[in-house]
C-alpha cells in the first residue's frame, strides 16, 4: 500500500510539472508571412484593421510595382474563433472593387491559417465587410 501511495504521489507531481509545458506546446508559435498584395494604400488600411481586430499581432507594408504587400505576424489557427470577428469594411469610394478585395483578403487568410473561415457581407452603400471565424 505504501508503494502504491508513493507511486500515485509521484505521478501527480510529474503531471503537475509537465501539464503547463504540454499546454504551452499546444499553442502554435507566431508566424510571419506575406498575406497578399493589394492596391496602393490598401495594405496599410487592412493591416491596421486586422491588428485592431486581434487577427494578427503586427504587420508591415512593402510597396512594389503591382501594389502594396501586406506582411503579418500571427498565430496559425486550426479552430474557428469562438465568436465571429469583424476585420474591416471596404467602401466603394475607397477601392475600385470592394467585393473582390474582401474575397481576396478572406481567402488568403484561410490559406495562411490566419483564420479558418470568412464571409463578406454587403452593406447599404456598395461596401463589403469581412467577417472571420
Amino acid at each position: 500500500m505504501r508503494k502504491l501511495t508513493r507511486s500515485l504521489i509521484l505521478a501527480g507531481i510529474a503531471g503537475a510539472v509537465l501539464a503547463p509545458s504540454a499546454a504551452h506546446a499546444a499553442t502554435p508559435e507566431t508566424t510571419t508571412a506575406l498575406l497578399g498584395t493589394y492596391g496602393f494604400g490598401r495594405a496599410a488600411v487592412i493591416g491596421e484593421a486586422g491588428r485592431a481586430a486581434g487577427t494578427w499581432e503586427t504587420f508591415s507594408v512593402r510597396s512594389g510595382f503591382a501594389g502594396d504587400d501586406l506582411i503579418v505576424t500571427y498565430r496559425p489557427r486550426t479552430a474557428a474563433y469562438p465568436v465571429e470577428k469583424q476585420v474591416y469594411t471596404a467602401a466603394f469610394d475607397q477601392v475600385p472593387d470592394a467585393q473582390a478585395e474582401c474575397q481576396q483578403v478572406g481567402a488568403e487568410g484561410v490559406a495562411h491559417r490566419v483564420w479558418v473561415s470568412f464571409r463578406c457581407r454587403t452593406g447599404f452603400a456598395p461596401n463589403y465587410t469581412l467577417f472571420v471565424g
Side-chain angles (χ1 to χ4, degrees):
M1 184 68 161
R2 189 174 191 172
K3 285 186 180 185
L4 178 62
T5 304
R6 183 175 179 200
S7 296
L8 289 174
I9 290 173
L10 289 175
I13 290 171
V17 169
L18 295 176
S21 62
H24 180 67
T27 304
E29 295 296 318
T30 59
T31 300
T32 300
L34 171 67
L35 185 65
T37 301
Y38 307 101
F40 294 106
R42 294 300 301 159
V45 171
I46 297 164
E48 184 56 41
R51 190 195 57 72
T55 55
W56 45 73
E57 295 175 12
T58 61
F59 74 95
S60 62
V61 175
R62 180 179 60 209
S63 291
F65 295 109
D68 291 340
D69 294 336
L70 176 59
I71 299 136
V72 297
T73 300
Y74 62 97
R75 291 192 186 279
R77 297 196 59 84
T78 56
Y81 291 106
V83 176
E84 192 175 51
K85 290 186 178 198
Q86 177 180 334
V87 178
Y88 82 104
T89 298
F92 72 96
D93 60 347
Q94 296 171 328
V95 62
D97 189 348
Q99 179 181 16
E101 182 186 83
C102 184
Q103 291 291 328
Q104 179 186 0
V105 175
E108 288 172 344
V110 169
H112 287 89
R113 293 185 14 205
V114 178
W115 42 74
V116 297
S117 64
F118 77 96
R119 70 181 174 96
C120 295
R121 183 184 74 190
T122 186
F124 292 108
N127 66 37
Y128 285 84
T129 301
L130 174 64
F131 291 93
V132 300

